[in-house]
Amino acid sequence: GITAGYNNASTGTAYLYNNKVLNSDTNNITVNSNGTAQIDIQIDNNYLNGTNQFFGILVRANTDSHIKSAIVSNNTVLNSNQYGIELDLFGATTSSINNAIISNNKINNNSNAAMYFYARQGNGGIYNMSIYNNSMSDNTRGIVLGSYADTSITASLYDNTITANTGNGVEVLDNTTRIITADFGGGAFRSTGGNSIYGNTGVEVRVDLDGGELKAENNYWGSAAGLTAGEMQLDDGTIDADPFLSEAP
C-alpha cells in the first residue's frame, strides 16, 4: 500500500493521484498526521482493489494534529477487509479533520462500512464535511457517522446512492458529550437531499442522536410511499424524512 506520514510541527499537502493498488498486505492508502502537524490532503482518481488490512483509504489525525482540508474524490474502492474509506481521530487530544470533501467515489464489496467517519477519542472533531455523488453497494453497511468521548461531527450529505448493502444503509451514532449534526436534506448545512437509500438488508437508516432529530428531507427511500416505520431504527432520536422523493433522482 501507500503511506504518507506527517509528524511534529510539519506542514504541507499530501497528493495521491492516479494510483492502482491491488491486493495489498496493508491498507491501500494511509495518510497520518501526528504531533502538531497541520496538513492538507488530496486523494483523487485511485483504483484500489483488495487488502488484507482494514482500509481502502484511511485518513487519520492523531494527538494534537490538524488536517486543514481533505479531498477524497473519484476513487474506486473494492474488496477491503473492513472499511472502504475512513476518516478518524485517534488519541485523547484536540486533533481535528476540517473541510473534507468526499465525492464521486465508487465503493463496493467491502467487508464493513463503505464509509466510516469516526471521531472516537479526545475533544476535537470532524468538521464541515461535504459528502456527495458517491455510490455504495454490496458492503456490510453504507455510511456510518460515529462520535464518541468529547468529540463532534458536522456534515452535509446529498446525491449519494446507498443500496444493496447487507446491513444498514446509514447509521448516525452520537455517543459523545457533544453533538453530531448530519444534514441529509433540509437541515442546518443546506443539503438539498437527493440521496437514494433503499434496498439495504438491514434498516435504511439508524438514528441515535441523544433525543435529537436527523434532517433527511427530499430523499428517495425505494418506493413512492417514502420511508416507512419498518425501514428505520430510532434508538434515541427522531428523523424528519418528509417531504420525500417518489422516484430515484
Side-chain angles (χ1 to χ4, degrees):
I2 301 168
T3 299
Y6 291 80
N7 298 307
N8 300 322
S10 59
T11 60
T13 302
Y15 295 100
L16 297 167
Y17 287 0
N18 302 326
N19 298 287
K20 179 182 285 187
V21 183
L22 306 177
N23 299 315
S24 173
D25 287 333
T26 61
N27 301 326
N28 282 325
I29 290 179
T30 303
V31 181
N32 271 311
S33 64
N34 300 284
T36 57
Q38 297 197 36
I39 66 169
D40 299 280
I41 297 168
Q42 295 186 27
I43 302 172
D44 186 76
N45 198 38
N46 299 283
Y47 180 84
L48 312 173
N49 191 344
T51 173
N52 292 322
Q53 293 294 318
F54 290 115
F55 310 104
I57 297 173
L58 171 64
V59 173
R60 173 171 287 167
N62 298 284
T63 57
D64 293 305
S65 67
H66 300 282
I67 296 172
K68 297 185 294 179
S69 66
I71 299 172
V72 182
S73 297
N74 304 305
N75 301 286
T76 298
V77 185
L78 309 173
N79 300 308
S80 297
N81 192 40
Q82 285 285 331
Y83 306 100
I85 296 173
E86 178 167 324
L87 274 60
D88 82 18
L89 307 180
F90 188 79
T93 50
T94 61
S95 59
S96 67
I97 299 173
N98 305 276
N99 304 312
I101 296 174
I102 315 297
S103 66
N104 299 299
N105 299 288
K106 179 181 178 181
I107 312 171
N108 295 345
N109 295 302
N110 297 283
S111 295
N112 205 307
M115 294 185 180
Y116 194 7
F117 304 101
Y118 189 19
R120 58 173 159 167
Q121 293 179 320
N123 58 2
I126 303 174
Y127 302 121
N128 194 32
M129 281 195 296
S130 295
I131 304 165
Y132 60 90
N133 287 342
N134 301 285
S135 173
M136 290 155 265
S137 64
D138 299 308
N139 308 282
T140 299
R141 297 180 286 176
I143 293 178
V144 180
L145 296 97
S147 189
Y148 300 83
D150 191 31
T151 62
S152 182
I153 294 176
T154 58
S156 175
L157 304 97
Y158 54 94
D159 297 340
N160 299 287
T161 299
I162 306 168
T163 187
N165 297 288
T166 60
N168 298 332
V170 170
E171 298 183 358
V172 183
L173 309 176
D174 182 355
N175 294 292
T176 175
T177 56
R178 295 164 72 192
I179 61 171
I180 293 178
T181 304
D183 180 2
F184 282 80
F189 298 109
R190 300 183 180 180
S191 167
T192 54
N195 298 291
S196 295
I197 306 170
Y198 66 94
N200 299 289
T201 302
V203 295
E204 307 302 353
V205 58
R206 176 186 173 193
V207 178
D208 182 355
L209 283 174
D210 295 340
E213 181 181 65
L214 178 68
K215 298 292 286 187
E217 298 177 358
N218 300 310
N219 298 299
Y220 178 61
W221 302 99
S223 77
L227 183 66
T228 63
E231 295 168 340
M232 66 182 91
Q233 178 180 332
L234 304 179
D235 294 347
D236 189 0
T238 60
I239 182 170
D240 172 15
D242 191 2
F244 51 85
L245 303 181
S246 59
E247 58 184 26

